[in-house]
C-alpha cells in the first residue's frame, strides 16, 4: 500500500493519544506526524527528558494548538513507579490511541527492578502494566464515543521469528541469560503479537494490532550487546534498504488512524497494512504467533503477575 501520512491521516480533533518511547526513532516520528493532524492531546513516554523537550518543541511547531505532554517513565521500573508516573502526569477523560512503541533490542543481559529478563520487561511487561492502568479508560472511550475507533497498536518486529522453541520460556522469564540475546528479543516481540491478539479476544471494543515497522534507521542498534554486531548493524543502517524514522512510522500511523473497518482486530501487519503473510513469504509471521493456547497462557501469566495492580481512574 502506498502511504502518505499528510493525506492519509484524518483530522484527529478531540482525540487523545499516548505513544510510549516517543523520545527517539519511530516513536518520535509518530508523535511529530500525529501532532500535525490536530489531536486534542498527545502524551509520550521515555526516560530522556532532554530529548523529550526537543520533541515537544518540534511537535508544537508542526501542530497548532496541540497539547503535548512528556511522561518520564522507565518501563523496566517497578509497577508502582510506573503507576505513579502516570498518576502524576497523565490526566484525561479519554484515551483513543495507545501506540506501544518503546523497546530495546539485544541489550546486555540483565533483570528489571522487579526481576524480569530485561528485554521481556521493556518490550512486553512494561506495556502490559500501562495497559492494565489505562485499559478501563480506553474501554470507556470506546463506549462513550462509538465513532472513535479506539486503538492499541503494538510495535513488534520481524525479529519475533527468532523466538525460542515453544515461543515463550515461562520458567525462565526471571533469568537474565536464558538463551541468546536475539532469542530473548524474539521472545519479547512474539509476546507483543500475542498481546494484541489476546486484547482483541478479551476486549473486542478496542481494535488491537501488532506490527513490524520495517528496517528503520534509529537508535535501536546502538545498545546491541556485542561491539562487532552493533558496529555491523550501525554500518548496515546506512544501506538504502533502511528507511527513515518517518517512513518507519508509516505502518503504526496507518494502524492507529485508518478507519476501523479497514483493520482486522488482533492481526499482525507488515508495512504498510499487509496482513499476516505466511511463513516463508516476505515479512512472514511465525506459526507460533497463531497459537491461541500460547496466547491464552501468556494472558493468564500476565494477569497473575499483575494481580493487585489497580487501574487509574479519571473524571
Ligand atoms: N528500527 C528498526 O529497524 C525496528 C525494526 C523492528 C522493530 N522495531 C521496534 O520499533 C520500536 C521503536 O524502536 P526504534 O527503532 O524507534 O528505536 P529507538 O530509536 O532506540 O527508540 C526506542 C524508544 O524506546 C524508549 N525506551 C527504551 N528503553 C526504555 C525503557 N526502559 N523505558 C522507557 N522507554 C524506553 C526510548 O526512550 P528513552 O531512551 O528516552 O528511554 C526510545 O524513545 C521498538 O519496539 C523496536 O523493537 C524497530
Amino acid at each position: 500500500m502506498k502511504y502518505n501520512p499528510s493525506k492519509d491521516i484524518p483530522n484527529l480533533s478531540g482525540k487523545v493519544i499516548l505513544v510510549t518511547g516517543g523520545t527517539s526513532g519511530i516513536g518520535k516520528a509518530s508523535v511529530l506526524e500525529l501532532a500535525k493532524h490536530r489531536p486534542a492531546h498527545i502524551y509520550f513516554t521515555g526516560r530522556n527528558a532532554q530529548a523529550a523537550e526537543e520533541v515537544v518543541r518540534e511537535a508544537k511547531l508542526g501542530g497548532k494548538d496541540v497539547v503535548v505532554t512528556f511522561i518520564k517513565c522507565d518501563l523496566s521500573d517497578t509497577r508502582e513507579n510506573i503507576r505513579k508516573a502516570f498518576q502524576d502526569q497523565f490526566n484525561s477523560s479519554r484515551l483513543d490511541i495507545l501506540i506501544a512503541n518503546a523497546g530495546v533490542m539485544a541489550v546486555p543481559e540483565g533483570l528489571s527492578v522487579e526481576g524480569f529478563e530485561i528485554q521481556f520487561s521493556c518490550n512486553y511487561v512494561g506495556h502490559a502494566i500501562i495497559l492494565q492502568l489505562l485499559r478501563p479508560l480506553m474501554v470507556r472511550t470506546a463506549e462513550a464515543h462509538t465513532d472513535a475507533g479506539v486503538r492499541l497498536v503494538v510495535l513488534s518486529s520481524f525479529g519475533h521469528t527468532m523466538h525460542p522453541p515453544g515461543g515463550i520460556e515461562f520458567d525462565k522469564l526471571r533469568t537474565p541469560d536464558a538463551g541468546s540475546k536475539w532469542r530473548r528479543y524474539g521472545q519479547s516481540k512474539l509476546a507483543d503479537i500475542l498481546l494484541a491478539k489476546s486484547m482483541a479476544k478479551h476486549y473486542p471494543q478496542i481494535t488491537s494490532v501488532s506490527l513490524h515497522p520495517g528496517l528503520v534507521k534509529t537508535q535501536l542498534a546502538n545498545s546491541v550487546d556485542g561491539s562487532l554486531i552493533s558496529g555491523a548493524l550501525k554500518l548496515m543502517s546506512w544501506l538504502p534498504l533502511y528507511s527513515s524514522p518517518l517512513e518507519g512510522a508509516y505502518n503504526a500511523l496507518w494502524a492507529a488512524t485508518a478507519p476501523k473497518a479497514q483493520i482486522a482486530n488482533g492481526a499482525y501487519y507488515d508495512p504498510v497494512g499487509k496482513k499476516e503473510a505466511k511463513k516463508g513469504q516476505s515479512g512472514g509471521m511465525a506459526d507460533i504467533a497463531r497459537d491461541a493456547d500460547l496466547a491464552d497462557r501468556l494472558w493468564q501469566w500476565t494477569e497473575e503477575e499483575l494481580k493487585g495492580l489497580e487501574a487509574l481512574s479519571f473524571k
Side-chain angles (χ1 to χ4, degrees):
M1 179 195 304
K2 275 208 157 175
Y3 190 68
N4 178 346
S6 308
K7 287 195 192 138
D8 293 334
I9 297 178
N11 185 323
L12 300 173
S13 53
K15 290 197 190 281
V16 176
I17 299 170
L18 167 63
V19 179
T20 69
T23 51
S24 162
I26 296 166
K28 175 178 177 178
S30 302
V31 170
L32 298 185
E33 195 54 41
L34 290 165
K36 296 178 191 163
H37 298 267
R38 311 182 74 87
H41 202 143
I42 303 183
Y43 292 90
F44 69 99
T45 73
R47 294 161 300 176
N48 185 337
Q50 204 180 340
E53 264 179 40
E54 179 57 20
V55 176
V56 172
R57 193 188 68 78
E58 288 182 43
K60 288 191 167 175
L61 285 179
K64 274 196 199 131
D65 306 333
V66 64
V67 184
V68 186
T69 303
F70 173 56
I71 301 178
K72 192 168 183 335
C73 164
D74 185 337
L75 288 183
S76 54
D77 206 341
T78 61
R79 67 197 70 188
E80 288 80 15
N81 283 347
I82 295 176
R83 189 175 191 282
K84 184 163 185 338
F86 275 83
Q87 192 164 36
D88 292 350
Q89 299 167 89
F90 181 94
N91 188 11
S92 173
S93 59
R94 66 190 282 176
L95 178 58
D96 299 82
I97 299 170
L98 166 51
I99 303 183
N101 160 82
V104 291
M105 178 174 78
V107 290
E109 58 195 45
L111 294 174
S112 69
V113 186
E114 291 198 348
F116 296 111
E117 189 280 317
I118 195 70
Q119 299 191 66
F120 199 72
S121 163
C122 293
N123 297 349
Y124 175 75
V125 179
H127 287 124
I129 290 171
I130 291 175
L131 202 50
Q132 178 129 336
L133 296 174
L134 299 180
R135 194 165 41 211
L137 181 63
M138 294 175 81
V139 170
R140 203 170 88 194
T141 307
E143 285 165 356
H145 308 273
T146 44
D147 56 340
V150 173
R151 299 290 149 84
L152 168 68
V153 176
V154 189
L155 274 276
S156 175
S157 168
F158 177 63
H160 79 274
T161 54
M162 296 184 286
H163 65 78
I168 294 177
E169 298 184 311
F170 287 95
D171 55 338
K172 295 179 184 155
L173 293 178
R174 288 181 175 273
T175 310
D177 55 355
S180 77
K181 53 187 174 284
W182 292 105
R183 193 185 257 205
R184 282 179 272 117
Y185 180 66
Q187 171 173 261
S188 69
K189 290 289 153 181
L190 172 64
D192 286 338
I193 297 179
L194 298 174
L195 174 64
K197 290 194 178 293
S198 289
M199 275 292 295
K201 176 175 167 183
H202 295 278
Y203 294 91
Q205 59 275 65
I206 298 170
T207 302
S208 299
V209 296
S210 61
L211 56 86
H212 172 59
L215 284 177
V216 193
K217 191 175 175 323
T218 65
Q219 308 292 317
L220 193 66
N222 292 2
S223 47
V224 170
D225 186 25
S227 52
L228 260 181
I229 303 177
S230 165
L233 283 169
K234 271 183 229 160
L235 273 178
M236 270 170 61
S237 71
W238 290 98
L239 297 174
L241 78 157
Y242 275 74
S243 51
S244 68
L246 175 57
E247 289 161 337
Y250 283 4
N251 209 15
L253 292 170
W254 169 78
T257 65
K260 185 178 165 179
Q262 288 178 19
I263 296 179
N265 204 355
Y268 167 78
Y269 285 96
D270 241 39
V272 172
K274 186 177 159 203
K275 186 181 151 203
E276 297 192 0
K278 295 240 159 43
K279 195 177 155 191
Q281 293 174 357
S282 152
M285 189 176 82
D287 288 340
I288 205 157
R290 300 174 209 278
D291 184 333
D293 290 341
L294 182 64
D296 284 348
R297 192 168 171 207
L298 178 63
W299 183 262
Q300 280 155 15
W301 178 91
T302 310
E303 293 227 304
E304 190 57 33
E305 281 294 336
L306 301 185
K307 212 163 49 188
L309 176 64
E310 200 189 329
L312 291 168
S313 61
F314 303 94
K315 293 248 160 60

